[in-house]
Amino acid sequence: PDDLRPSPSPPREMREAEHPLYRKRPPSAVQVFLVGASDLPMMDYDWLRRTGSSDPCVTFEIEGRDDAKQTSEVMFQTVNPQWGAYFTVACDDPEETLKVTVEDYDRFSGNDFMGTCLIDVKTLADRELHRATYYLTDAKGKLRRKPRTWGTIELCLRWVHDAELAFQIP
């Protein structure tokens, strides 16, 4: 079962303190470690067996920018996925917002929306590692009431200086 697996840990580069040389430079990227999600809605329902599951994947993007977007792999047939995946999203402005979107993967049609959360980058201004569980909302930012929620997603986040993303030459 999904809930018996241990929760993955962030990679070493996120757990260790940022290099002192980079600490003095302005942040240029949000490091994201996608731990997992729980209680996601069942998007693929089997009416004969009265069971269901989903094939979730997660997209990370800076709201309003098309150049800073990362997508996780699809976890098939689960509503409590565990990824243990690491991403870096370019972001140098504390006023920007990290948008996290969970979708149900569909091979032959478009993906189905499952939930989203918005994270203000300025909450990461201390440049420390933040591990938190976020409630997923609908596209308008509204929560569902129990027992049918949009689910939750667990993330580790840190805003750092990334030399590769600091000076992008067109």
Side-chain angles (χ1 to χ4, degrees), residues 79-90:
V79 292
N80 297 302
Q82 296 289 310
W83 279 274
Y86 174 75
F87 304 91
T88 302
V89 181

Side-chain angles (χ1 to χ4, degrees), residues 53-126:
S53 66
S54 292
D55 305 320
C57 65
V58 181
T59 302
F60 302 96
E61 62 185 313
I62 298 300
E63 203 169 39
R65 286 177 46 189
D66 294 329
D67 64 331
K69 191 175 198 177
Q70 300 280 332
T71 303
S72 75
E73 68 177 285
V74 177
M75 301 300 274
F76 292 98
Q77 297 182 342
T78 181
V79 292
N80 297 302
Q82 296 289 310
W83 279 274
Y86 174 75
F87 304 91
T88 302
V89 181
C91 175
D92 56 4
D93 184 357
E95 297 304 315
E96 292 184 309
T97 302
L98 178 66
K99 182 178 183 180
V100 181
T101 305
V102 182
E103 295 179 314
D104 177 57
Y105 172 78
D106 286 322
R107 182 176 298 176
F108 300 112
S109 62
N111 292 350
D112 299 319
F113 177 83
M114 295 176 74
T116 190
C117 71
L118 301 174
I119 302 162
D120 291 328
V121 174
K122 62 185 163 201
T123 63
L124 308 172
D126 63 3

